[in-house]
Amino acid sequence: MALRQVKRLIRARPTLEGAGVRLRRAFGFGNTADFDPFLLLDDFRSDIPEDYLAGFPWHPHRGIETITYVLAGTVEHGDSMGNGGVIAAGDVQWMTAGGGIIHQEMPKGDPAGRMHGFQLWANLPAALKMTEPRYQGVISAEIPEATDADGTRARVVCGTFWGKRGPVEGIAADPIYLDISIPPGKRKAFPVEAERRVFAYVFAGSGKFGDASGPLAVPTEGVAWLDTEPPAEAGNRTLVLFDGGDEISAQAGEEGVRFLLVSGRPLREPVAWYGPIVMNTQEELRRAFRELREGTFLQHEPVGKGARAAAGKRRRK
């Protein structure tokens, strides 16, 4: 097996989004070629309601898929297709915007005021940019979890891992999306197909990735000339971008480590991106915004007011 080394170590940056939601953005600031087929990863964890209650009021999307994974609190959502529902703790909503949808997402804290979750954007290939919008909503109990002999756990949201298959299917980027927890001090290796782009996002504890031979082997973004202590570990809110190979190695720190491990097959297509619209050419991008102004943006008929069948969250029993 060829061990993937760390290509970049990136601290998520504070960002203001939506109607005033304070979050951390791990990537999505500019050129995202290294992350293809993924475009953006936002970490919207806060215990202060004022940071998130303004939410993400009605806004359009075209040409992408959005993946919302909630750890605490809830996200209420609705859209131009007539769908609506709630994404609760442990749930995942995978929305394919396709040819166009207008929706809103309004975070609500749990009784302690916590709102913790992530949103990942995946690009759609040119052939599927204008496909019909759809949702795949998965409640927490439907996400399988695999546990290894050393106590390492993996929730399998999408793809196949350790004999478990995630419930989200039919995604263009053929992603594998895992929530992995490694106990304190344990070292673990995870196979990843060589042709995939892969990153880890640490959100609890800390760990070393790659061969962990020394901190200077880990290049970082945003290094200033006054920085004289290179990071030896990837801690909370740190993204690890891997180079080529077919295996990931992770060494948990004293408190263990929990991270998202996400991989996908690169599209290798041109990207024309402005705000919530991601197309292949500038002309397609201009057309999308022209349609928004003219009221012709939505390409598919609504399924009916209040429809829930594909709303992104099945009824809890």
Side-chain angles (χ1 to χ4, degrees):
M1 303 287 283
L3 183 64
R4 287 183 182 243
Q5 297 302 324
V6 174
K7 186 173 184 179
R8 294 216 303 280
L9 199 65
I10 304 168
R11 290 285 294 170
R13 306 181 195 176
T15 304
L16 199 64
E17 196 54 88
V21 177
R22 298 182 184 275
L23 49 81
R24 301 289 185 103
R25 182 157 293 164
F27 66 90
F29 294 96
N31 183 3
T32 56
D34 283 341
F35 300 95
D36 181 20
F38 306 106
L39 297 161
L40 173 151
L41 176 63
D42 280 347
D43 177 346
F44 53 91
R45 287 182 290 156
S46 178
D47 298 339
I48 305 171
E50 290 77 13
D51 284 351
Y52 57 78
L53 283 178
F56 308 91
W58 296 100
H59 59 280
H61 282 296
R62 176 179 285 181
I64 64 170
E65 300 181 282
T66 66
I67 303 97
T68 305
Y69 181 28
V70 174
L71 299 178
T74 60
V75 177
E76 297 178 359
H77 69 93
D79 70 20
S80 54
M81 303 289 287
N83 300 313
V86 176
I87 314 168
D91 295 353
V92 172
Q93 183 198 78
W94 203 297
M95 184 192 78
T96 302
I101 199 167
I102 297 175
H103 76 154
Q104 67 172 355
E105 300 157 300
M106 305 303 290
K108 308 291 182 185
D110 66 9
R114 299 178 304 163
M115 180 67 245
H116 295 186
F118 308 98
Q119 187 166 95
L120 175 69
W121 290 13
N123 202 4
L124 282 169
L128 297 176
K129 287 288 189 189
M130 300 301 290
T131 193
E132 185 173 355
R134 69 166 181 151
Y135 287 96
Q136 293 187 69
V138 180
I139 63 173
S140 181
E142 296 173 333
I143 299 176
E145 183 173 293
T147 304
D148 207 10
D150 66 356
T152 298
R153 303 192 314 275
R155 297 191 84 210
V156 185
V157 173
C158 187
T160 300
F161 185 75
W162 285 354
K164 304 285 187 179
R165 183 166 184 82
V168 178
E169 296 182 337
I171 304 302
D174 187 26
I176 297 175
Y177 189 119
L178 310 172
D179 174 352
I180 291 179
S181 301
I182 304 177
K186 299 293 185 181
R187 186 179 181 89
K188 204 69 183 173
F190 306 97
V192 180
E193 295 173 359
E195 66 271 19
R196 288 177 171 270
R197 298 274 171 77
V198 58
F199 67 84
Y201 183 72
V202 177
F203 61 93
S206 64
K208 297 180 180 180
F209 294 82
D211 61 12
S213 59
L216 291 179
V218 183
T220 63
E221 285 198 350
V223 175
W225 64 273
L226 282 175
D227 292 334
T228 58
E229 293 293 333
E233 292 187 324
N236 185 27
R237 293 192 169 98
T238 300
L239 184 132
V240 185
L241 177 64
F242 293 97
D243 222 327
D246 53 14
E247 186 178 60
I248 298 298
S249 175
Q251 170 80 47
E254 294 180 356
E255 298 179 356
V257 65
R258 186 176 178 188
F259 56 94
L260 305 179
L261 185 61
V262 181
S263 69
R265 301 183 190 279
L267 302 180
R268 296 187 175 91
E269 293 183 353
V271 174
W273 178 8
Y274 186 84
I277 312 295
V278 183
M279 304 303 291
N280 294 100
T281 69
Q282 288 296 316
E283 175 52 37
E284 291 171 337
L285 200 57
R286 285 191 290 268
R287 184 186 309 128
F289 284 97
R290 185 169 61 248
E291 290 172 356
L292 274 169
R293 292 192 301 270
E294 296 174 351
T296 58
F297 179 77
L298 298 177
Q299 304 291 307
H300 302 278
E301 290 296 322
V303 295
K305 185 176 180 180
R308 302 276 180 169
K313 182 175 184 298
R314 289 202 284 274
R315 187 185 303 276
R316 291 177 179 272
K317 296 181 180 179

